[in-house]
Amino acid sequence: MAKGYYISKVVAIVGILFTIAALATIIALSVLYANEKDKNNNVPNLPETTTPTSSENTKGPTSAPSNDPWTKDRLPKTLTPYHYDIRLKPVLKKNDQGLYVFYGKSEAFFTCVAATNLVIIHSKNLNFNTSPKAFLKDSAGNNLAVSKIDEVPQKQYLVVHAANNLEDNKNYSLYTEFVGELADDLAGFYRSEYKEDNETKIIATTQMAAADARKAFPCFDEPAMKATFNITIVHKPDYVVLSNMNPISHNNLTEEDELWIETVFDKTVKMSTYLVAFIVSQFRPIGDPGNSTTIGVQIWGRKKAIEDEQQGAYALSITKPILDFFEEYYQTPYPLPKSDQVAIPDFSAGAMENWGLVTYRETALLYDPAVSSIGNKERVLSVVAHELAHQWFGNLVTIQWWNDLWLNEGFASYVEYLGADKAEPTWNIKDLIVLNDIHRVMAVDALASSHPLTSKEEEVNTLAEINQLFDSITYSKGASVIRMLSTFLSEAVFVEGLASYLKDFQYDNTKYSDLWIHLQAAVDMTVPPVDLPQSVSEIMDTWVLQMGFPVVTINTVTGVVTQKHFLLDPDSVVSRPSQFNYTWIVPISYATRASLGHYWLQTPSATVDAFQTPASDWLLANINVTGYYRVNYDDTNWNKLIAQLESDHSNIPVINRAQIIDDAFNLARAMYIPTTRALDTTRYLSNDTEYMPWQAALDSLTFFTQMFDHSEVYGPMREYMKKQVRPLFHYFRDWTLNFTTIPESLTDQYSEIIAVSTACSYGLPECVTLASELFKEWMDSNINGIHPNLRSTIYCTAVAHGRAMEWDFVWEKFSTSNNAQESDKLRSALSCSREPWVLNRLLEYSLDTNKIRKQDAVSTIGSVSSNVIGHSLAWDFVRAKWKFILEQIGGSSFSFRNLIEQVTRRFSTEFELKELEQFKRDNQEAGFGSSAQSLEQAIEKTKANIRWVNENKDSVLNWFKGEIKAENI
Ligand SMILES: *[C@@H]1O[C@H](CO)[C@@H](O)[C@H](O)[C@H]1NC(C)=O
Ligand SMILES: *[C@@H]1O[C@H](CO)[C@@H](O)[C@H](O)[C@H]1NC(C)=O
Ligand SMILES: *[C@@H]1O[C@H](CO)[C@@H](O)[C@H](O)[C@H]1NC(C)=O
Ligand SMILES: [Zn+2]
């Protein structure tokens, strides 16, 4: 579903200041882990709800597990829905009990496909305000006799026991009236608030995925239970309502002496419940509402953002081109009459691909050239492209069940780059998948605690199990292996198989293997044949059924090539068996100075003549990192590659310069090569001005900083970094006339940002001076002349080197900012202070929703912990408040699962390991919610860090000392 894991550039940059490149690893996506409070108890004015009859609650004579269908996590297959009539009236004012509620009437129509007397339908926190709670009807609309109706809150079911069996092949319906709470919990039908002209504005909006449509109306809430929906929303005249389809009528009503409008929407196409959406707001649109012949494309958001500041203009300019691109790419027309993109002030994920009504965090849709950075712009572009990619892949053709989520998300995370490239053809954005997805997810997938892309349908049942799936393996590894597949098939063959898959399964559901079948058919029809060693599914099975990936080691002297499961910690124990014994079918592309080639490695080892390289040449494998694996070489070849980088790095493609660095550091971590060899790959950087290799190096060196920034290694390391970055800083200073202009290309802009952020964070004096001056000008004049690209760095540097005055100024600007991206930059800068008491105060603020939005709590704590001074403060804070944090944000924040990872990143001592294990024991009872896995990973990482520091500290210290000594001579 939603894309929320993206690490925004802004954040990455601030992180560098204390050299944790990511206060932002919002890798998480999981909300709503099952520990949801039962809100029924909080809705006093409503008729009593009942009495679960779940056998789990019945203290009957037998203790054997019940076989009653309402005790199961999955719906029985006896009923198939085909239509819903839904009428909802959200009241955007508190009622007498101080609650916001919505009133609903709904009729679910279904076909009985196996005789049964049970109608089991999902329903969560809905209070049925009629008696009986539900009316079961036959196809003529006559009420049928019902013996009892139960609610089973544990499984979120409403269970209707019919007096007589429903008959096979006949249609029935279930009518209900209900009241739900319009809570601010970011799930189901929920409430969001924002301030405009001193007035609090309230909107009612939805986030149904993965399983909260049931919180808005009773429904068969599984992705394969597709149906059509007639949606009617009742609202006040000064509000506008949007849904998946266009409205077909507006009727005036008078209810309780007040005027209301009833907006009726056109019947939807056949679709899954998790894609249903409706929004009642005072938002304004820009764009073209469309008509009977043209598709409407509009961007919606707060009036100030959309009308006064035109923050939707960029999104509008790219949406139609991207939709057009995907129509062509999928060879399938866009299935709906319109596509609305809506910026929601409170949103837990990054965005959600609701069909025809895509919802976004403000930072993922709105862009203001005056205050937004190039990273903000790229984020808008890639998130819009991602969500639009789903309008076909995901919405038109949908996974059968959540266990195949990786296909849905991995696919969209790959093709988003293609859509984005179409809208911004000069950006070379497709290259960036290597940094943003491949390198990043390899770090996670190299742990023994990783997991395969696929899971079996029967292994994913509970909401917690579903929500666990929304992780970086699903998104980024999914994207990486699909890109690899598309590359070895060739784009043309891939697209052909894809189009036939979409045509075959439109308005229907699939398993991932269905895509392989269609791709295989495309392969079989291709002339000349595609060079595959085995079938598409046999090749892909090795990548999707087993976790991890191989390190391919090429000996250029003997020509022997081997593959081995790459584990970051060589001592870690892999307990998960693999049917392929951790051997993959690996497409190896390679180059020498003069030639290119390709080889399929299908066994643990092989001898390949072409890999024997003459003494005068080097060999480079995995060209442009289209393969999902790492590469190691014999010493001689490493030396030759490093020598090539130092003599003329332009002979090696820019993506592979980044790869050499990233592979080398990871191979060193895993003890395949010495750490100093990895450091050697960074020496040439003082001559490189390209973004990708620099970013790869900084991502790798972040770990060094985390391990050493509180030790004696840090002094020489800082000197080395200053020496390396100084030429880059001066290069951009000269080019941009002392940072008064901005380079054209995307990657040049990113390079410039890196130059400034790295220079400032390691304390290059000319950078700190620049930052202080620019910031002072802003404080003095109250006119912010700092270019948006450089704001994160300048703010952070000014706060770090400043005093209370600077912090207070940033806080004041943050509290009054009307722009979400600017707020994020300011909020990050607040964590750059070097005063412990200031940082502690910020931690307290992070849980105070009057000061910092709930959606930003985790990233605020994370950014404090990325500061070397704040790290232990954040850990103490999280430990002390764990139960409260879990309750407050554990259920509603997508990023919650990263919290533990963020506050334990520097852990590298036995003492810290003990603390972490103690933390685990102390909170067994309260639990860890969606961060349980992250806790296990933190323990594993801490152990690995301890060993790494012991083994490497001396050699690393000496290497840095040697480099700065060489400088001085
Ligand atoms: C908002 O409130 C402030 C202080 O109460 C007042 O000075 C200002 O005029 C108000 N603005 C609007 C647009 O009502
Ligand atoms: C609904 O009421 C508004 C304002 O009272 C009026 O302008 C509009 O014509 C009415 N619409 C219908 C369909 O009666
Ligand atoms: C649903 O709405 C369509 C119009 O969009 C209407 O033709 C149809 O009768 C409605 N179906 C039901 C079951 O109410
Ligand atoms: Zn997605």
Side-chain angles (χ1 to χ4, degrees), residues 554-803:
I554 299 177
N555 187 322
T556 60
V557 179
T558 60
V560 171
V561 52
T562 59
Q563 60 165 307
K564 190 161 184 253
H565 183 189
F566 182 78
L567 291 167
L568 199 58
D569 174 359
D571 291 345
S572 54
V573 178
V574 176
S575 53
R576 191 188 288 270
S578 157
Q579 66 193 101
F580 305 106
N581 291 318
Y582 293 102
T583 302
W584 287 261
I585 302 181
V586 192
I588 302 179
S589 54
Y590 59 89
T592 63
R593 274 208 190 85
S595 69
L596 281 172
H598 191 276
Y599 176 77
W600 282 99
L601 180 62
Q602 302 177 63
T603 49
S605 85
T607 304
V608 182
D609 292 344
F611 289 167
Q612 280 182 18
T613 317
S616 60
D617 204 353
W618 40 256
L619 183 93
L620 179 67
N622 201 6
I623 303 308
N624 290 332
V625 194
T626 54
Y628 184 66
Y629 56 90
R630 294 199 181 280
V631 189
N632 187 18
Y633 308 96
D634 56 293
D635 268 352
T636 326
N637 197 58
W638 272 117
N639 286 334
K640 288 192 275 191
L641 286 172
I642 290 168
Q644 179 67 65
L645 287 174
E646 290 180 3
S647 62
D648 181 1
H649 59 253
S650 68
N651 276 7
I652 294 182
V654 64
I655 297 181
N656 285 95
R657 304 209 292 274
Q659 172 221 20
I660 287 172
I661 294 170
D662 193 70
D663 278 356
F665 275 95
N666 282 279
L667 292 166
R669 282 285 290 282
M671 316 234 289
Y672 282 85
I673 62 174
T675 301
T676 49
R677 160 83 75 208
L679 288 168
D680 289 342
T681 65
T682 67
R683 200 183 288 119
Y684 93 98
L685 277 175
S686 52
N687 289 319
D688 202 340
T689 56
E690 279 289 344
Y691 164 63
M692 291 190 64
W694 263 101
Q695 185 65 50
L698 292 173
D699 287 346
S700 300
L701 289 167
T702 293
F703 175 71
F704 283 62
T705 315
Q706 284 165 9
M707 294 301 105
F708 295 134
D709 66 2
H710 39 297
S711 84
E712 67 197 293
V713 179
Y714 193 62
M717 174 172 176
R718 189 174 54 198
E719 292 313 304
Y720 173 70
M721 293 304 291
K722 283 202 271 195
K723 169 187 152 193
Q724 293 300 85
V725 79
R726 188 177 290 120
L728 190 70
F729 183 81
H730 291 171
Y731 170 81
F732 281 104
R733 193 181 60 185
D734 297 346
W735 181 2
T736 63
L737 315 172
N738 203 21
F739 304 102
T740 55
T741 66
I742 289 294
E744 281 275 311
S745 93
L746 178 78
T747 49
D748 283 340
Q749 293 191 42
Y750 283 152
S751 263
E752 182 192 26
I753 294 169
I754 278 186
V756 178
S757 62
T758 310
C760 274
S761 67
Y762 288 101
L764 196 71
E766 48 268 53
C767 188
V768 174
T769 308
L770 171 84
S772 306
E773 282 172 7
L774 287 173
F775 194 83
K776 184 160 184 307
E777 273 169 35
W778 180 25
M779 278 177 60
D780 290 349
S781 66
N782 212 20
I783 297 167
N784 190 346
I786 307 165
H787 190 277
N789 283 1
L790 303 181
R791 285 186 182 179
S792 295
T793 295
I794 305 292
Y795 297 174
C796 184
T797 308
V799 167
H801 293 268
R803 293 158 178 274

Side-chain angles (χ1 to χ4, degrees), residues 83 85 109 230 248 265-267:
H83 182 75
D85 276 344
F109 296 84
N230 277 5
I248 48 175
F265 290 93
D266 208 350
K267 184 171 150 181

Side-chain angles (χ1 to χ4, degrees), residues 22 217 229 231 282 408 450 552 640 679 739 785 815 818:
F217 55 93
F229 296 82
I231 295 170
Q282 292 176 313
N408 191 29
S450 187
V552 168
K640 288 192 275 191
L679 288 168
F739 304 102
S815 306
N818 180 44

Side-chain angles (χ1 to χ4, degrees), residues 250-252 259 261:
H250 304 276
N251 310 308
N252 292 345
L259 183 62
I261 315 274

